[in-house]
Amino acid sequence: MDVSRRQFLGKAAAVTAGVAVMPLSEVEAGLNDQPPRRGGDPGKRYGMAIDLRRCIGCQACTVSCSIENQPPVGQFRTIVHQYEVTDNASEETAAVMLPRLCNQCDNPPCVPVCPVQATWQRKDGIVVVDSDQCVGCGYCVQACPYDARFINHETQVADKCNFCVHRLEAGLLPACVESCVGGARIIGDLNDPDSHINRVLSENYDDVKVLKPELDTRPHVFYIGMTDAFIERIQGESGLWFDSEHGGVMGAVS
C-alpha cells in the first residue's frame, strides 16, 4: 500500500475513533470547491462533437478504446448504447445510437468530492485520474451525473475516459475518434476558432445539444442530432457496486 493510501486510511480511522484530524470547515471546503487546474496546455480547451446522424452503432469506438486503454472485460470507458425511441404522436419507433463517455465538464462534480485529490482537471479541460493516488472510495463515481466513471475491477481504483490524453500529447487522435468508420466523433481545440470542431459546431449550431444542461456542469461533449428525449431523461446516477450503463445495458425512452 502506497503512502497516500495509508495516510487516507489512517485519517479515516482517526475520524471513526472520534479524533478530530482537521477542522470540519477545512474538510467541507476541500470537498465542495473546485481545486486549481494543473498540467496540460493552458492555451487549449479540448472538446468533442458527436454527430449522431453519422453513428451506425458499430461499436468500433468501444473496441478500439478497450484495446488502447485495457479496462477489465465488461467495463468500458466509452460505449454506444442503443435505444428505441417512440413518437407519442405517431407511435412510430426508431432506433437511436447514443455514444457515452466522460463529458470533460467545465464544472466537474467528480473533482471536488475526491478526498485525496486523485482526480483533477487539467488546464486544457481534460479531467484525469491518478491511479496511484486514488483510494477507491467511489465518491467520484457517485458524483458523476453521466455514469461515466467506474471502479476498475482489477485495480480497485476509479477509471474513466480521458480523451486518450497520452495520444493527444503525442499528436495522435483518441482511439475512438481514429476508429470511427462514420466520422461521427470529432475532437479539437475549442479555443481555436479555425479548428474543425468549431467549424462543425458552428455549421450545426441549432442542432447541438448536451446531456443534462440543467445541472450546470457545462459538458464539453456536444451531440449533434440528439432527440430531446435524451437531454434530461438519460440514466445518470448508478450504484457503486451494480451494473451501470457502461456494462452495455439496453434502454428504452419514449
Side-chain angles (χ1 to χ4, degrees):
M1 184 181 294
D2 58 47
V3 175
S4 63
R5 296 192 188 195
R6 285 199 300 270
Q7 291 175 339
F8 173 76
L9 293 174
K11 290 180 179 180
V15 171
T16 303
V19 178
V21 176
M22 62 181 68
L24 182 59
S25 59
E26 292 185 19
V27 175
E28 291 177 340
L31 293 181
N32 292 299
D33 295 340
Q34 289 289 350
R37 299 184 184 188
R38 49 192 167 101
D41 186 344
K44 293 184 177 181
R45 197 346 174 164
Y46 285 107
M48 183 178 290
I50 302 179
D51 191 340
L52 300 185
R53 301 168 300 185
R54 292 177 172 269
C55 178
I56 60 174
C58 67
Q59 302 290 353
C61 54
T62 305
V63 174
S64 62
C65 174
S66 294
I67 293 173
E68 179 71 28
N69 297 294
Q70 296 292 301
V73 175
Q75 293 187 303
F76 309 95
R77 289 187 174 191
T78 186
I79 194 169
V80 180
H81 291 135
Q82 302 176 26
Y83 297 88
E84 286 188 349
V85 178
T86 302
D87 187 294
N88 290 329
S90 65
E91 297 187 350
E92 293 182 354
T93 300
V96 175
M97 310 300 171
L98 188 67
R100 301 291 299 280
L101 68 161
C102 174
N103 281 248
Q104 312 297 345
C105 304
D106 228 21
N107 184 30
C110 57
V111 171
V113 299
C114 180
V116 294
Q117 296 187 13
T119 187
W120 70 92
Q121 188 167 38
R122 291 163 37 119
K123 293 180 180 179
D124 55 16
I126 299 176
V127 178
V128 295
V129 178
D130 184 340
S131 58
D132 293 326
Q133 185 80 2
C134 178
V135 296
C137 65
Y139 291 168
C140 62
V141 177
Q142 292 288 65
C144 175
Y146 303 106
D147 190 29
R149 286 173 172 259
F150 56 94
I151 296 297
N152 187 301
H153 290 164
E154 294 178 354
T155 63
Q156 296 300 311
V157 298
D159 205 334
K160 62 177 282 295
C161 160
N162 60 9
F163 276 178
C164 282
V165 66
H166 59 288
R167 291 177 62 89
L168 289 175
E169 291 178 342
L172 303 173
L173 292 173
C176 65
V177 176
E178 188 173 73
S179 64
C180 182
V181 297
R185 296 189 181 216
I186 301 164
I187 193 168
D189 180 11
L190 294 168
N191 286 345
D192 178 3
D194 298 321
S195 63
H196 185 199
I197 186 172
N198 269 328
R199 292 199 302 272
V200 170
L201 292 176
S202 178
E203 292 168 359
N204 297 275
Y205 182 81
D206 293 331
D207 205 22
V208 174
K209 296 181 177 68
V210 297
L211 294 175
K212 298 189 174 182
E214 75 282 0
L215 298 181
D216 195 34
T217 58
R218 300 195 291 278
H220 275 60
V221 171
F222 305 93
Y223 292 92
I224 300 172
M226 181 171 65
T227 173
D228 289 342
F230 291 97
I231 295 179
E232 297 178 359
R233 297 179 60 190
I234 195 72
Q235 180 180 333
E237 299 80 1
S238 61
L240 270 180
W241 315 118
F242 301 93
D243 290 337
S244 70
E245 284 203 341
H246 277 232
V249 178
M250 297 288 285
V253 178
S254 61

